[in-house]
Amino acid sequence: MNKEELNSILKIIEEEISKTETSIEHYKELTKPIAPENAIGRVSRMDAINNKSVNDAALNKAEQKLSNLKVSLSNINDPDFGVCFKCKNNIPIGRILIMPHARFCVQCAS
Ligand SMILES: [Zn+2]
């Protein structure tokens, strides 16, 4: 992978990190403890609990993504960066741009 490609990947990873951090903040806001039943009513509390589990899952996913992105950021100068972990072929740059944390090529990931 040439320096230019690495720079564009680096830029994308940094953008993704800042986007993911923003959505983590957003989900944290949405997953705050739910008000007691007598404050918001039983039905809306049940709604809130349902929404909370959806948002909790989204929050977990975003946190996972953020840690993956940070790993890729620290691996980017690695000579193995962009090389499939399993078959050692180069991972196509298009895939890295979509999934910067991908450690496997499409074949090995499926
Ligand atoms: Zn592979």
Side-chain angles (χ1 to χ4, degrees), residues 6-48:
L6 277 177
N7 277 337
S8 59
I9 292 170
L10 185 66
K11 204 165 152 257
I12 286 168
I13 293 176
E14 283 171 343
E15 273 168 22
E16 280 294 310
I17 285 178
S18 86
K19 270 195 266 172
T20 309
E21 279 171 345
T22 309
S23 50
I24 286 175
E25 286 308 305
H26 174 70
Y27 291 129
K28 279 191 173 157
E29 200 59 39
L30 293 173
T31 52
K32 277 184 173 168
I34 297 165
E37 202 172 296
N38 54 11
I40 56 174
R42 196 170 126 81
V43 172
S44 51
R45 186 167 196 273
M46 279 167 67
D47 275 350

Side-chain angles (χ1 to χ4, degrees), residues 83-91 103-109:
V83 176
C84 175
F85 224 57
K86 198 167 157 189
C87 69
K88 310 288 175 198
N89 285 326
N90 284 340
I91 301 173
R103 301 302 280 154
F104 299 102
C105 69
V106 184
Q107 281 87 349
C108 296

